[in-house]
Amino acid sequence: MNRPGTGDRGPGTGNSGRGPETPAGGRKRVAVVIFPGSNCDRDALAAVEAAGGEAVPVWHQSADLAGCGAVVLPGGFSYGDYLRAGAMAAHSPVMAAVRRHAAGGGAVLGICNGFQMLLEIGLLPGAMLMNRTLRFICRDVHLRVERDDLPLLKHLRRGHVLRLPIAHKEGNWFAAPDVVRQVEAAGAVALRYCNERGEIGGEANPNGAINAVAGLVNREGNVLGMMPHPERRISALLGGSDGAALIRALVEAA
Amino acid sequence: MQVEVRVKLKEQVLDPQGEAIRRVLAGLGYAEVGQVRVGKLMLLDVGGDDPGAVRARVEAACREVLANPVIEEFEVRLP
């Protein structure tokens, strides 16, 4: 895909407050789905607004995405993580609309619990196991950008290192060996856990995920799932703005 | 009838919870315990008298939601 000619303002610059506009002059609409137990929905709504989009809360019982051009499945503990993280939410009525939206090429960003849902409904490959340490891990991690040629990743630079927080107990990505090979061959890994120098392996992998997978894209590149929380890092006041470029790209893709 | 659904991680999937339990057992002197695997047991009260039909329905539910085929396998037991 082509990169827009506007150039990268880079992490740390935040956004100007003037977002991308639709041809009609209105702001681009991004749905944030709220499940019982979501707890990052307000952060996601605020991040979309800060990136210049119109954030639209959509209840999980909704049959559609309120005409939005992009959708966020936010983090949290939908249905208390009962059965498996994301398993119950995967069967919420709104997920049929999310599937249709994705099948039509619409942008989907699943964050943390939202990533787990995307795995459960099969839009992304693999499944999450409990972290290797068996602990809930809530801290900053470093992430190496592996793809920058897709609309949702266009403001990132391949090989650059981001710093974003994680907060999960089931983030240990697993897939059968043949699936892992397919994922790697397809370039489906968007983000990998790394150290501050961008090196993979050892203690830099917080949860034991195979090949340090922290984020995946589908083959078409319109569905991105990631365990780290970009919506929590959109301003220096919140400890950094490495997440702003992802949210901005999402709004632009709406 | 009450139907038992057992869900466990596939053999080739590492079970960190089971490994932690094995280590605790070894520390308590149960050195003879080898691998430990942790699974889920669900008891479903299901309407219907035809065991074959009940089994088919419960197995469908397992495939649809109760187990994740990427990492888990299930077993359905009827009374």
Side-chain angles (χ1 to χ4, degrees):
Chain A
M1 304 236 180
N2 291 325
R3 193 169 284 159
T6 50
D8 183 19
R9 282 178 287 185
T13 52
N15 69 77
S16 66
R18 278 181 53 246
E21 294 190 348
T22 58
R27 291 179 299 159
K28 295 216 176 185
R29 288 162 56 85
V30 177
V32 176
V33 181
I34 303 172
F35 299 87
S38 293
N39 65 9
C40 301
D41 45 310
R42 293 181 69 162
D43 305 58
L45 289 162
V48 166
E49 292 278 335
E54 181 183 350
V56 182
V58 172
W59 183 235
H60 74 117
Q61 296 285 5
S62 171
D64 59 59
L65 297 174
C68 292
V71 58
V72 179
L73 301 176
F77 300 87
S78 57
Y79 295 90
D81 274 354
Y82 292 168
L83 196 61
R84 297 177 305 279
M88 314 285 246
H91 295 276
S92 281
V94 76
M95 290 312 247
V98 171
R99 279 178 194 277
R100 282 196 304 273
H101 178 72
V108 179
L109 174 61
I111 303 168
C112 196
N113 193 214
F115 185 11
Q116 293 163 338
M117 293 173 204
L118 291 174
L119 298 174
E120 282 284 340
I121 65 173
L123 280 182
L124 293 172
M128 290 298 179
L129 297 172
M130 208 177 282
N131 294 342
R132 171 175 58 185
T133 57
L134 300 178
R135 291 174 196 278
F136 185 94
I137 304 172
C138 185
R139 65 171 170 87
D140 281 11
V141 295
H142 293 97
L143 301 152
R144 193 173 75 191
V145 177
E146 304 287 285
R147 294 286 299 269
D148 60 8
D149 57 336
L150 299 169
L152 291 175
L153 302 164
K154 66 183 182 183
H155 295 310
L156 305 178
R157 286 296 170 268
R158 189 172 176 201
H160 280 197
V161 176
L162 307 177
R163 185 183 168 102
L164 293 174
I166 55 169
H168 62 251
K169 190 172 181 183
E170 285 91 12
N172 181 355
W173 183 76
F174 174 89
D178 59 318
V179 176
V180 174
R181 279 193 294 275
Q182 290 165 17
V183 162
E184 293 289 357
V189 182
L191 299 166
R192 283 186 221 271
Y193 301 109
C194 66
N195 65 18
E196 57 196 12
R197 293 181 298 283
E199 297 157 345
I200 309 293
E203 293 302 304
N205 183 340
N207 52 32
I210 290 177
N211 292 2
V213 167
L216 291 174
V217 288
N218 64 344
R219 188 170 289 276
E220 295 73 25
N222 59 313
V223 176
L224 170 64
M226 57 190 291
M227 290 312 292
H229 288 273
E231 82 284 10
R232 295 187 188 179
R233 284 295 157 81
I234 58 162
S235 152
L237 283 173
L238 300 173
S241 56
D242 279 7
L246 272 162
I247 304 296
R248 185 156 49 92
L250 176 75
V251 171
E252 288 169 4
Chain B
M1 67 184 84
Q2 189 175 69
V3 180
E4 207 175 281
V5 174
R6 292 165 178 244
V7 177
K8 61 179 184 180
L9 287 173
K10 288 178 175 175
E11 204 54 49
Q12 63 270 32
V13 177
L14 280 177
D15 181 357
Q17 200 174 187
E19 175 57 17
I21 291 168
R22 187 198 62 76
R23 271 185 266 135
V24 166
L25 288 175
L28 291 171
Y30 297 95
E32 71 274 26
V33 178
Q35 196 186 52
V36 177
R37 310 283 291 176
V38 178
K40 293 174 195 148
L41 173 65
M42 293 173 240
L43 303 174
L44 279 58
D45 285 324
V46 185
D49 303 321
D50 176 0
V54 168
R55 173 180 291 279
R57 289 287 288 167
V58 173
E59 286 182 351
C62 286
R63 283 189 293 273
E64 192 172 354
V65 64
L66 298 181
N68 181 339
V70 176
I71 49 174
E72 294 171 328
E73 54 196 21
F74 62 85
E75 186 188 340
V76 174
R77 294 185 181 186
L78 270 57

